Amino acid sequence: MATFLYRLGRFAFRRRHLVALFWVALLALAGVGAAGAPAAGNSSFSIPGTEAQKAFDLLDERFPGSSADGATARVVFKAPAGEKMTDAENKKAVRNTVDALADGSEVAVVTDPYQAGGISRDGTIAYASVSYKVSGMELEDSSRDALEGAAEDARKSGLTVEIGGDALQTVPHTGSAEIIGIGVAAVVLVITFGSLLAAGLPLVTAIVGVGIGVASITALASTLDLGSTTSILASMIGLAVGIDYALFVVSRYRAELAEGRDREEAAGRAVGTAGSAVVFAGLTVVIALVGLAVVNIPMLTKMGVAAAGTVALAVLIALTLIPALLGYAGRRVRPAGEKSKLLGGGRAAKKPQRPNMGTRWASFVVRRPLAVLLLGVIGLGAAAVPAASLELGLPDDGSQPTSTTQRRAYDLLSEGFGPGFNGPLVVVVDAKDSDDPQAAFRQTGEDIKGLDNVVNVGPAQPNKAGDTATITVIPDAKPSSVTTEDLVHDIRDTGADIGSDTGADVLVTGATAMNIDVSQKLNDALAPYLILVVGLAFLLLIVVFRSILVPLKAALGFLLSVMAALGAVVAVYQWGWLSGLMGVEETGPIMSMMPIFMVGVVFGLAMDYEVFLVTRIREAYVHGEKPGQAVVTGFRYSARVVTAAAVIMIAVFSGFIGSSDSMVKMIGFGLAVAVLFDAFVVRMAIVPAVLALLGKRAWWLPKWLDRALPNVDVEGESLRTEGDPKDEDRELVRA
């Protein structure tokens, strides 16, 4: 592989006009496709194999035209102090609002609170429900404007009016913090390279890669039903790895220049060595992201595949566009150790060259490996303690900032009707095979009334055929509480008894039940996902490092860092530690897909640093150095760059903490903390300590396995004996 990539690097360097034109044309093509495509909305949410989804599909079949998947809104009214919603003027204002809402072309049903029992017991709060014929993703802006306009007209009469539900959901934005993250990355690159031009190359290429990836996602969003969050997460991961991969290639290029090689040769060797590490690091990330498909949640699968595509683009750009741009830069990109004149280059050195920080740190760890190992493991273990209290759920309007109308509507409904009113359960009774459907409906309602933590059970609402009915159940606790989750399980257990007595099938659905089923499905999928992803990556790393213990150590180190990161997420978003600093207005359960998504992404990124760092160590060992000295040599050449890459990635991920979407905010924080722990504790401390303790045993591989494995030559050993392969480049052009 090293030889092939070496030739590719030289080809891209020489034929830079052709390579640059290709990427510019691809970016333009993706941009044109995105400009002409419909805007991404909220992806349709289906969870195959869950009871909530089965009931949802049954409603579509048995209640045709009911728009079970249509958008909904609750317009909540509160009377001024000292007044009631039943007062004549307030009643008139509410009914005017209901009439105005009913005129919408996409509106299916609007309930009148005075006819549907939508008045609180104290008479101060009322609500009108609006059901639409289309989903929130398909809802036209004119319908949203009409909804907000009707609420504004009602406010003019003196009422407090807020709107809840998914009808007002908007595309989340990441805020200016993302730009700050890129700014931090730029500063780190300048410090690392000592050159503005060299620092700019990784930023430019990362932006090109993310631009192509996000534009492609936008162009295909409507066709493939990709939600707005998909492009945000793809840009988050693509930007971070794009900068990192380019950083490693440029850094190796400057190191090759410092050894006296000409620029074309240096570009070829940089792609042949660092590029090999980029390929395998990228493969681990792609495996981890595509592996999310095993969870069988379409939305999560699409997010993973889209992000994996952006990572693949980052790899290809690092292998081709970076050497092409290095060709354009010429002598303006200086050898390692030299700074540009603007940043102080050319001045006489006042002191003799000292060992760099990476060398000094690695020497310390090699002298005290056991102490460093114990300190790192104990520290990460302590950080992971809060993860034992992990509670999972999906965000609802109660997790929105208090500045939003959705959150204020949620609070008003909790005040007037109880916290459970925000998460009603829909019980679907399928009595098609029952001898007496009416008796089945009646028994279901009576049995549910006898359960704990139930505030109200509505009357059965049968369909026209009379073989299926829905029953609305109001829990006593808020939607995201453990109490409500227990109630869903109790209703399902009761439904099994009802089924044996009446022959009816009782199912529980609704947004709350769907969230509970999603959490359960994600929990059940976590272990198989870990086995699949870690297993495949373990095999890949055996091929890369030709060792059993090094990949095993890499996997165990990853588990330490991801558990510590989950502990930090629980401490901030569930316990409320530093919540004000992180912009968390409402603590609660951790988003259900957070653990499995973090496992996938963090594993891929952790293996990035493992590959980049340990390949340099193995390169030194293969070339004859003793194990301890190889660790020091590897750190001398790679620690500075790995540190810069980690700081950049942390900065990029931290930028997404400013997002308006609670899921993106939490993922940004979790990934930033995970990279912090993995890069600076696991890879920079635990890895060299373990390698120092293992010595030569770290690189042990059974002879039969050594013969069976392909030699991918990540260290570029073949390049040391490679002649001048300029003639062989023609073979690449023909291929």
Side-chain angles (χ1 to χ4, degrees):
M1 173 176 284
T3 303
F4 170 78
L5 293 178
Y6 167 81
R7 297 170 187 163
L8 178 63
R10 292 187 60 148
F11 169 78
F13 187 94
R14 283 203 316 274
R15 302 297 180 88
R16 46 189 172 271
H17 301 313
L18 179 64
V19 173
L21 181 62
F22 169 79
W23 285 109
V24 170
L26 193 59
L27 179 60
L29 183 64
V32 169
N42 297 296
S43 177
S44 58
F45 195 74
S46 63
I47 314 295
T50 62
E51 180 175 315
Q53 186 65 45
K54 181 181 176 183
F56 188 82
D57 295 339
L58 184 65
L59 287 175
D60 271 349
E61 176 189 338
R62 302 287 174 83
F63 291 81
S66 63
S67 302
D69 61 344
T72 59
R74 276 178 170 174
V75 183
V76 188
F77 308 88
K78 183 175 182 179
E83 297 182 17
K84 302 284 187 182
M85 289 306 305
T86 50
D87 294 346
E89 288 299 319
N90 294 335
K91 199 171 185 179
K92 180 181 178 183
V94 170
R95 284 192 162 151
N96 287 341
T97 303
V98 170
D99 292 341
L101 291 171
D103 290 338
S105 60
E106 294 182 313
V107 174
V109 179
V110 181
T111 62
D112 185 329
Y114 300 101
Q115 296 177 0
I119 310 294
S120 64
R121 287 186 180 181
D122 63 3
T124 61
I125 296 174
Y127 74 92
S129 294
V130 186
S131 299
Y132 291 88
K133 300 173 185 177
V134 296
S135 67
M137 183 178 62
E138 301 167 319
L139 200 63
E140 294 182 0
D141 289 340
S142 58
S143 295
R144 293 191 179 93
D145 293 340
L147 178 61
E148 293 177 319
E152 187 59 38
D153 290 341
R155 291 189 186 105
K156 293 176 182 177
S157 67
L159 297 174
T160 298
V161 186
E162 304 296 347
I163 306 170
D166 63 356
L168 290 185
Q169 284 186 351
T170 57
V171 176
H173 58 84
T174 56
S176 59
E178 182 182 354
I179 299 173
I180 296 174
I182 296 175
V184 172
V187 172
V188 173
L189 287 169
V190 170
I191 294 173
T192 303
F193 289 139
S195 165
L196 293 175
L197 182 61
L201 292 180
L203 284 176
V204 170
T205 54
I207 291 171
V208 169
V210 170
I212 294 172
V214 172
S216 301
I217 291 169
T218 304
L220 298 172
S222 180
T223 304
L224 301 181
D225 190 25
L226 303 177
S228 55
T229 307
T230 303
S231 61
I232 293 178
L233 295 177
S235 67
M236 177 194 298
I237 296 168
L239 190 62
V241 300
I243 294 174
D244 278 8
Y245 294 166
L247 167 64
F248 283 105
V249 174
V250 173
S251 177
R252 187 60 184 250
Y253 171 77
R254 296 177 73 236
E256 296 293 338
L257 288 179
E259 292 183 11
R261 293 185 174 89
D262 67 64
R263 295 186 178 275
E264 183 179 330
E265 178 71 9
R269 288 181 176 268
V271 175
T273 52
S276 297
V278 165
V279 169
F280 283 98
L283 268 177
T284 60
V285 181
V286 169
I287 288 172
L289 290 170
V290 174
L292 290 169
V294 303
V295 183
N296 195 26
I297 295 179
M299 184 184 75
L300 194 59
T301 300
K302 292 171 185 175
M303 287 165 55
V305 172
T310 309
V311 171
L313 279 171
V315 172
L316 293 174
I317 284 175
L319 299 179
T320 57
L321 186 56
I322 280 292
L325 294 181
L326 289 172
Y328 283 118
R331 297 182 179 277
R332 285 167 291 184
V333 175
R334 297 170 179 271
E338 290 187 21
K339 295 182 179 181
S340 65
K341 292 182 179 180
L342 182 63
L343 297 173
R347 298 175 186 171
K350 295 181 180 179
K351 297 180 180 179
Q353 188 78 20
R354 291 181 59 198
N356 63 20
M357 180 64 75
T359 303
R360 297 198 298 273
W361 169 250
S363 300
F364 170 78
V365 174
V366 168
R367 290 196 304 271
R368 307 251 191 311
L370 188 59
V372 172
L373 176 62
L374 290 176
L375 186 61
V377 171
I378 292 171
L380 290 178
V385 168
S389 304
L390 179 68
E391 295 178 9
L392 297 177
L394 283 178
D396 55 22
D397 284 348
S399 62
Q400 296 265 18
T402 53
S403 58
T404 63
T405 186
Q406 292 96 326
R407 172 60 186 279
R408 291 195 292 262
Y410 180 98
D411 292 340
L412 284 176
L413 288 172
S414 296
E415 177 187 339
F417 302 91
F421 198 78
N422 284 292
L425 306 175
V426 179
V427 178
V428 182
V429 185
D430 179 7
K432 191 172 185 178
D433 298 328
S434 176
D435 296 332
D436 188 351
Q438 291 299 325
F441 302 156
R442 188 166 51 252
Q443 182 179 341
T444 302
E446 291 172 354
D447 288 359
I448 293 174
K449 285 179 182 177
L451 297 175
D452 294 334
N453 304 311
V454 173
V455 172
N456 182 57
V457 178
Q461 303 290 333
N463 62 349
K464 289 183 179 179
D467 60 1
T468 308
T470 60
I471 299 173
T472 301
V473 179
I474 305 299
D476 181 50
K478 65 181 183 179
S480 58
S481 68
V482 176
T483 303
T484 300
E485 182 178 348
D486 292 340
L487 176 59
V488 170
H489 294 312
D490 291 343
I491 294 174
R492 287 172 174 169
D493 293 340
T494 301
D497 297 334
I498 294 170
S500 61
D501 294 339
T502 65
D505 192 9
V506 179
L507 307 170
V508 185
T509 189
T512 301
M514 185 73 82
N515 289 352
I516 291 169
D517 286 353
V518 170
S519 298
Q520 186 61 50
K521 187 163 188 173
L522 288 165
N523 280 341
D524 294 342
L526 186 57
Y529 176 70
L530 264 175
I531 293 170
L532 172 70
V533 171
V534 176
L536 287 175
F538 181 77
L539 295 175
L540 183 65
L541 292 177
I542 288 178
V543 174
V544 174
F545 296 130
R546 307 193 76 79
S547 163
I548 298 293
L549 295 179
V550 170
L552 180 62
K553 173 262 310 166
L556 293 176
F558 151 73
L559 290 175
L560 269 175
S561 58
V562 80
M563 289 304 298
L566 277 175
V569 170
V570 170
V572 173
Y573 288 88
Q574 187 176 310
W575 291 1
W577 293 5
L578 302 176
S579 57
L581 182 63
M582 296 297 165
V584 181
E585 296 189 19
E586 184 72 21
T587 59
I590 303 305
M591 184 186 62
S592 327
M593 59 182 69
M594 184 71 184
I596 201 163
F597 192 83
M598 273 190 64
V599 164
V601 177
V602 174
F603 182 79
L605 299 180
M607 295 306 103
D608 275 3
Y609 299 122
E610 181 75 13
V611 170
F612 289 129
L613 188 62
V614 179
T615 48
R616 264 298 200 173
I617 296 173
R618 176 172 168 76
E619 184 177 344
Y621 177 75
V622 167
H623 294 155
E625 294 189 10
K626 293 181 179 180
Q629 184 56 41
V631 171
V632 176
T633 300
F635 267 69
R636 179 168 70 247
Y637 288 115
S638 60
R640 179 184 177 90
V641 180
V642 169
T643 300
V647 171
I648 288 168
M649 199 170 280
I650 291 168
V652 171
F653 287 149
S654 297
F656 288 85
I657 297 174
S659 172
S660 61
D661 186 278
S662 58
M663 180 173 73
V664 175
K665 181 191 292 283
M666 190 181 295
I667 288 176
F669 172 80
L671 294 182
V673 172
V675 171
L676 176 68
F677 288 152
D678 194 86
F680 292 105
V681 181
V682 175
R683 308 303 153 191
M684 286 292 178
I686 293 178
V687 165
V690 171
L691 290 177
L693 288 170
L694 290 175
K696 292 183 178 180
R697 289 167 294 181
W699 309 108
W700 171 80
L701 188 69
K703 291 184 179 179
W704 64 267
L705 185 57
D706 188 36
R707 290 192 297 269
L709 291 177
N711 184 11
V712 296
D713 190 22
V714 176
E715 299 84 14
E717 179 64 19
S718 60
L719 300 183
R720 290 182 170 260
T721 57
E722 182 81 12
D724 187 3
K726 292 181 181 178
D727 294 337
E728 295 174 341
D729 283 345
R730 298 190 185 96
E731 297 176 12
L732 180 65
V733 177
R734 287 195 294 269

